[in-house]
Amino acid sequence: MSEMLPGPRLLPLVDAPPPERRDAARNRELLLEAARRLVHQHGAPGVTMDAVAAAAGVGKGTVFRRFESREGLMAAVLNYSESEWQGAVMSGPAPLGPGAEPWERLLAFGRSRLETTLVHAELIRAAGRAGGSRSFAAYSFATRHVHYLLHELGVTGDLPLLAVALLAPLEALILDQQVTVEGFPLERVYAGWVDLARRIVGVRT
Amino acid sequence: MSEMLPGPRLLPLVDAPPPERRDAARNRELLLEAARRLVHQHGAPGVTMDAVAAAAGVGKGTVFRRFESREGLMAAVLNYSESEWQGAVMSGPAPLGPGAEPWERLLAFGRSRLETTLVHAELIRAAGRAGGSRSFAAYSFATRHVHYLLHELGVTGDLPLLAVALLAPLEALILDQQVTVEGFPLERVYAGWVDLARRIVGVRT
DNA sequence: CGGACAAACGGACCGCGGTCCGGTTCCATT
DNA sequence: AATGGAACCGGACCGCGGTCCGTTTGTCCG
């Protein structure tokens, strides 16, 4: 028993999440792909968990072990879709990507976010607030990006809150209400957002 | 057949909704009351439709005929709760109610709305977007009120959109994220909102 | 008062999200 | 290669939201 202590191989002060077994990882891929396909075919509300499990050739329990809940699965699909957009913002062509003036980037961001939200509206609804605290990547990403742009523009104040104020009117719930229910044309909504941005950032052209 | 035309008793150009039968009205009351009681006792997520039906001494089908869906029922309960607040805004004491300067009223409105939203957060979640287009009264009421205050303050621009921009950061989803998840103190969120209002309305004290 | 029709009622029934647990598979260690 | 145990797998099972349809009740007329 009292051997030479081999010394800790790793010191997991904060417990590292144990790695995923090979079959588990494989099934996660299978499931995500099947889910993406089915959502594309039948729309998010028309996809049942049993269907996803069957399409992936896997038991239902497995679906829930890999992705917590239906919302979790939808959030994963959504994340996958949004990652393309995130790439465009981080390293795509200007003015959305880097290279343009911050104000131009902000305008491009608003328009792009507006459209992306509407395209993914169904999925966003289905994802709910997936898994609670670990809010899915898109929200946090957008917030940080706007925060950065505001900083770049020399805006002073509580930047995290101002960033949220700028993003809130672009939330799916609200956009859906304005565009689908009240019938505001998209251009009007965008123009309104630009006006808001102008007032928050300060006077502009 | 060719009698004297008795003349139309009513001319329902827009079809009037046929009146509710007496037992139907009674059951609606019974159900709403039972639902309010159960929600108060067990919290919105812990209330099942069967339980509400049983508590009201009524069949389950009746619940769904009177209130479309679970969300519909929750929206009705929510509406009931919010009507008190609406009264305070419309005819309560200043500065929330009439009598104060528009800017003071706006500030009072923001604070009050912030608190009310947090109190009703659970119910708001459960209500979803009850019944689709007929968005429950609170949303439309708050929007109109802010619209009015902005007008009173002499703000120019697309007022309906600016009103929404001012209300969006007070939406339950967003507040919940900021307060519960990110742990921002309530005072900070309110101060941020005041700052936003200042920027939208124009310079102020 | 009586009869007829529409509207409302109730509860059996269905589909889906989510859980549970006995059996199986992978990986580390010897 | 053999072995022990942890992680994973599958599908039977459960509770709840929502629907359906045969029966009852209210209301309006003659």
Side-chain angles (χ1 to χ4, degrees), chain B residues 4 7 19 25 29 34 61 64 67 97 99 115 130 132 134 136 165 171 188 190 200 202:
Chain B
M4 269 175 54
E29 280 312 306
F64 284 89
F67 311 85
E115 289 163 358
R134 177 177 51 154
F136 69 97
E171 212 66 21
R188 180 176 169 194
Y190 178 61
I200 287 184

Side-chain angles (χ1 to χ4, degrees), chain A residues 84-103:
Chain A
E84 187 189 356
W85 174 75
Q86 289 187 30
V89 172
M90 295 277 287
S91 57
L96 183 57
E101 292 296 305
W103 175 250

Side-chain angles (χ1 to χ4, degrees), chain B residues 99-117:
Chain B
E101 291 297 304
W103 175 248
E104 304 305 325
R105 284 194 80 184
L106 185 60
L107 292 186
F109 174 90
R111 153 133 294 189
S112 168
R113 182 74 217 152
L114 182 60
E115 289 163 358
T116 304
T117 299

Side-chain angles (χ1 to χ4, degrees), chain B residues 31 34-35 37-38 42 46-58 60 63:
Chain B
L31 282 168
R37 221 186 57 232
L38 290 180
H42 307 108
V47 173
T48 75
M49 298 303 266
D50 292 81
V52 174
V58 134
K60 194 176 175 181
V63 186

Side-chain angles (χ1 to χ4, degrees), chain B residues 75-87:
Chain B
V77 173
L78 177 60
N79 243 348
Y80 184 95
S81 294
E82 295 249 307
S83 62
E84 186 189 356
W85 175 75
Q86 289 186 30

Side-chain angles (χ1 to χ4, degrees), chain A residues 116-158:
Chain A
T116 304
T117 298
L118 285 177
V119 169
H120 294 163
E122 206 181 43
L123 217 38
I124 292 176
R125 271 200 83 70
R129 51 137 159 218
S133 64
R134 178 177 50 156
S135 63
F136 68 98
Y139 175 81
S140 133
F141 168 78
T143 302
R144 280 202 311 274
H145 187 63
V146 171
H147 180 286
Y148 161 75
L149 288 179
L150 289 181
H151 174 75
E152 218 55 14
L153 282 162
V155 175
T156 63
D158 194 333

Side-chain angles (χ1 to χ4, degrees), chain A residues 14-203:
Chain A
V14 289
D15 55 329
E20 208 166 52
R21 238 167 65 174
R22 199 122 54 224
D23 52 348
R26 186 179 51 87
N27 282 342
R28 145 166 282 130
E29 280 311 307
L30 254 42
L31 282 167
L32 188 57
E33 190 184 318
R36 291 208 307 123
R37 221 186 57 232
L38 289 180
V39 166
H40 182 74
Q41 276 179 8
H42 306 108
V47 173
T48 74
M49 299 302 267
D50 292 82
V52 173
V58 133
K60 194 178 176 179
T62 304
V63 186
F64 284 89
R65 197 166 323 96
R66 287 286 85 83
F67 310 85
E68 198 114 353
S69 65
R70 183 199 160 84
E71 294 195 348
L73 177 59
M74 292 306 181
V77 174
L78 177 60
N79 242 349
Y80 184 96
S81 295
E82 294 248 308
S83 63
E84 187 189 356
W85 174 75
Q86 289 187 30
V89 172
M90 295 277 287
S91 57
L96 183 57
E101 292 296 305
W103 175 250
E104 303 305 324
R105 284 194 80 184
L106 185 60
L107 291 186
F109 174 89
R111 154 134 293 192
S112 168
R113 182 75 217 150
L114 181 62
E115 289 163 358
T116 304
T117 298
L118 285 177
V119 169
H120 294 163
E122 206 181 43
L123 217 38
I124 292 176
R125 271 200 83 70
R129 51 137 159 218
S133 64
R134 178 177 50 156
S135 63
F136 68 98
Y139 175 81
S140 133
F141 168 78
T143 302
R144 280 202 311 274
H145 187 63
V146 171
H147 180 286
Y148 161 75
L149 288 179
L150 289 181
H151 174 75
E152 218 55 14
L153 282 162
V155 175
T156 63
D158 194 333
L159 256 41
L161 286 187
L162 284 178
V164 169
L166 214 34
L167 282 167
L170 300 181
E171 213 66 21
L173 201 82
I174 303 208
L175 244 44
D176 200 48
Q177 170 76 20
Q178 297 192 332
V179 175
T180 305
V181 179
E182 304 196 44
F184 290 178
L186 219 146
E187 283 312 318
R188 180 177 170 193
V189 175
Y190 178 62
W193 186 82
V194 172
D195 182 34
L196 175 66
R198 237 189 247 117
R199 292 178 195 244
I200 287 183
V201 171
V203 283

